[in-house]
Amino acid sequence: MTQPKSDPRVLRTRRLIMDSFIELSAKKEFKDITVKDITTEAMINRATFYYHFEDIYDLLEKALSEVLLVNLNGDFYKNDKLDEEAFVSIFLAVTNFQKSLSNRCHRGYEDTIARIIREQLEIIFYKMLVKQNAGEEDEALKLNAVILSWGIYGASVEWKRKGIDVQPEEFIKPALPYLLSGIEYV
Amino acid sequence: MTQPKSDPRVLRTRRLIMDSFIELSAKKEFKDITVKDITTEAMINRATFYYHFEDIYDLLEKALSEVLLVNLNGDFYKNDKLDEEAFVSIFLAVTNFQKSLSNRCHRGYEDTIARIIREQLEIIFYKMLVKQNAGEEDEALKLNAVILSWGIYGASVEWKRKGIDVQPEEFIKPALPYLLSGIEYV
DNA sequence: TTCGATTTGTCGTTTATCCAACACATTGAT
DNA sequence: ATCAATGTGTTGGATAAACGACAAATCGAA
C-alpha cells in the first residue's frame, strides 16, 4: 500500500488522472478506455501514469474507492456513532453508488466493484468502532467490522435483486436487527 | 524575450499562474495582490513563480498581452486581409478590452497597459502585412505596422475620452481614411 | 523612530515529470 | 495467416517543480 504523499505535484497529477478517467467513463465503457486516452485527456506523460498506478485496473480500483468514499463521508460522519440512523445512511450511500455505477456502464467488473465496496465498508466500520469503543481489543473490533461490511454489502446485493421499486430505507430498516445480532461492540 | 517552451509542465504551470492572477484580479486591486496570493491560489511553489516571471509586473504584462490577444484572435483572423472590416473589428476588440479593464480596476497602470496594447497591435499588424505583401522589404512593413498601431491605439484613447455613449463603429469608420493616408502596403 | 511581521527575490538540494526509445502484446483489415 | 497500426509497460537521462532557508526590502503599528 502506497502511503499518501503530500507533494503538491503528486496530488495535482493524481487528481488530473482521476478526473480524466471519470470524465472518460461517462463517455465510453471501461473496456474501451486506454491509458493513452487518459493521459492525453489529463495532459500528462504516459510514463507518469505508471509512476502512480500499476495499470488501468489499479486506477479503476482507486477511482471507485474515492468516489464511494466521497459518497459515504458526505452523509453520516456527523454523529460519529453507529446507531440505526448511521446504518441506514450508509446503506443509502452504497445503494446510490450502485445506481450511479449502473449508469456509467462498468460492465464485466461487478466482482471487482463488489470487493472494493466491501473493503471500503470494512474500513469505515472499523474506524467508527474504534472511535466508539476506545481501548478495546483491536482484533475483536476488526472482526466485527468484517461481519458488518459483509452484512451491509449482502443486503445491498439483495436489495438490487429485488428491483428498484423497493425503497432502500424500507428495505433495510426491518433487516437491521438480523444484521446486528451477534455483533458485540455496536 | 523568453522563447516559447513546449514542455507540458511549463505550459500547465503558466496557465495555473495566469488563471489565478486573473481570478484574483476580479476580487482585489492589482496593488493588493502579492506573489504569495497567486502561488497559493495556483497551488504552486513560490519559487516556481520566479522561474517563469521576473516579478509581478512581468506577470501583469504577460497576462494582459494574452487576454488582449484572445480578444483579437477570436474576431477578425478569418479573412486574413487588412480591409476596412478588419480595422473595424480590431478597433472593437481594443475598445472592448479597455472597457473590461476599467471594470477590473487596474488603476495606476494605465501607461503600462497602453504600451502593451500598442505593442500587441504592432505585432498583429506586422503579421497581417507580411501575409498580404509576401516578399516585400521587412523594414517598410515594420514601419507601417508601427504607424498603424499608434494610429489605432490613439483612436481608441480618443474614443475613450469621448465617453461610452459613442458607438465604436460609428466613431472609427469616418476616421479610417485619415488613419490610412500615407500607409503604403495596405 | 523602532520594532515585529510580512513580502520579496535567490539559492542548493531533492523529487516528480517529461521524453525518446524499446520489446512485447493486441487488434483489425486484407 | 500476415502485416501494419496501435497500445502496454519499462528504462535512463534531462529538466521543471517543490522545499527550506536565507538576507534584504517593505509595511504598520507602538
Side-chain angles (χ1 to χ4, degrees):
Chain A
M1 192 60 188
T2 55
Q3 84 269 21
K5 300 249 183 174
S6 62
D7 189 317
R9 290 173 289 185
V10 172
L11 301 177
R12 190 183 313 148
T13 299
R14 289 193 182 157
R15 183 106 318 281
L16 285 170
I17 293 176
M18 290 266 192
D19 289 347
S20 303
F21 176 61
I22 292 172
E23 186 81 15
L24 285 172
S25 297
K27 300 180 204 160
K28 300 181 182 183
E29 290 201 25
F30 175 73
K31 69 173 173 51
D32 295 327
I33 298 176
T34 71
V35 173
K36 201 172 200 330
D37 289 338
I38 296 166
T39 57
T40 302
E41 169 100 9
M43 291 190 296
I44 57 121
N45 194 277
R46 202 165 53 85
T48 307
F49 175 92
Y50 292 101
Y51 183 87
H52 294 283
F53 303 95
E54 281 278 317
D55 50 28
I56 205 171
Y57 302 98
D58 184 32
L59 171 61
L60 170 66
E61 184 150 337
K62 286 171 177 158
L64 287 180
S65 298
E66 202 197 59
V67 174
L68 177 59
L69 267 182
V70 168
N71 268 25
L72 287 169
N73 282 333
D75 249 352
F76 72 98
Y77 246 143
K78 300 154 195 163
N79 46 356
D80 254 13
K81 64 176 195 289
L82 271 175
D83 49 10
E84 186 192 57
E85 188 195 355
F87 280 104
V88 170
S89 63
I90 290 174
F91 185 76
L92 286 178
V94 172
T95 51
N96 279 333
F97 179 67
Q98 302 240 37
K99 266 193 286 184
S100 76
L101 273 189
S102 68
N103 296 336
R104 289 212 186 112
C105 291
H106 279 146
R107 277 188 301 235
Y109 291 92
E110 284 87 357
D111 46 356
T112 302
I113 293 169
R115 180 177 47 75
I116 293 170
I117 291 178
R118 208 206 45 76
E119 284 171 358
Q120 291 299 322
L121 284 177
E122 186 180 322
I123 293 170
I124 295 275
F125 281 131
Y126 181 66
K127 279 185 191 166
M128 296 193 78
L129 284 172
V130 167
K131 270 188 194 166
Q132 196 164 327
N133 309 48
E136 285 296 336
E137 332 155 39
D138 251 14
E139 288 310 319
L141 296 183
K142 260 178 196 154
L143 179 58
N144 276 358
V146 169
I147 296 171
L148 285 173
S149 69
W150 280 101
I152 288 288
Y153 178 69
S156 94
V157 170
E158 186 60 16
W159 169 83
K160 217 173 160 190
R161 204 184 55 77
K162 290 235 175 179
I164 31 173
D165 48 323
V166 185
Q167 287 301 316
E169 280 107 332
E170 294 160 16
F171 178 83
I172 194 61
K173 275 183 183 165
L176 271 181
Y178 300 97
L179 288 174
L180 300 183
S181 71
I183 303 292
E184 278 184 86
Y185 295 95
V186 175
Chain B
M1 189 63 185
T2 54
Q3 82 271 18
K5 300 249 183 173
S6 62
D7 190 318
R9 293 173 287 186
V10 172
L11 300 178
R12 189 184 317 152
T13 300
R14 288 192 182 157
R15 181 108 320 280
L16 285 170
I17 293 175
M18 289 266 192
D19 289 348
S20 303
F21 176 61
I22 292 172
E23 186 80 16
L24 285 173
S25 298
K27 301 181 202 160
K28 300 182 185 185
E29 292 203 22
F30 176 73
K31 71 173 172 50
D32 296 326
I33 298 175
T34 71
V35 174
K36 201 174 198 333
D37 290 337
I38 296 166
T39 57
T40 301
E41 170 101 8
M43 291 189 297
I44 57 122
N45 194 277
R46 202 165 54 83
T48 307
F49 175 91
Y50 292 101
Y51 183 88
H52 294 283
F53 302 96
E54 282 277 317
D55 50 29
I56 205 171
Y57 302 98
D58 184 31
L59 171 61
L60 170 66
E61 182 151 336
K62 285 171 177 157
L64 286 179
S65 298
E66 201 196 61
V67 173
L68 177 59
L69 266 183
V70 168
N71 267 24
L72 286 170
N73 282 333
D75 249 352
F76 72 98
Y77 246 143
K78 301 155 197 164
N79 45 358
D80 253 15
K81 64 177 197 284
L82 273 174
D83 49 10
E84 187 192 56
E85 188 196 355
F87 280 105
V88 170
S89 63
I90 291 173
F91 185 75
L92 286 178
V94 172
T95 52
N96 280 333
F97 179 68
Q98 302 242 34
K99 266 193 285 184
S100 75
L101 274 188
S102 69
N103 297 335
R104 290 216 186 109
C105 290
H106 278 147
R107 277 188 300 236
Y109 292 91
E110 284 86 355
D111 47 355
T112 302
I113 292 170
R115 179 177 48 75
I116 293 170
I117 292 178
R118 207 207 46 74
E119 284 172 359
Q120 291 298 324
L121 284 177
E122 186 180 321
I123 293 170
I124 294 276
F125 281 131
Y126 181 66
K127 279 185 190 166
M128 296 194 77
L129 285 172
V130 166
K131 270 188 195 165
Q132 195 162 330
N133 310 48
E136 284 297 336
E137 333 155 39
D138 251 16
E139 287 309 317
L141 295 184
K142 262 179 194 152
L143 181 58
N144 276 358
V146 169
I147 294 171
L148 285 173
S149 69
W150 280 102
I152 288 288
Y153 179 70
S156 93
V157 171
E158 185 62 14
W159 169 83
K160 216 173 161 190
R161 205 184 56 75
K162 289 233 176 180
I164 31 173
D165 50 320
V166 185
Q167 287 301 315
E169 279 107 332
E170 295 161 17
F171 179 83
I172 194 61
K173 275 183 182 167
L176 272 180
Y178 300 98
L179 289 173
L180 299 183
S181 70
I183 305 291
E184 276 183 85
Y185 293 94
V186 176

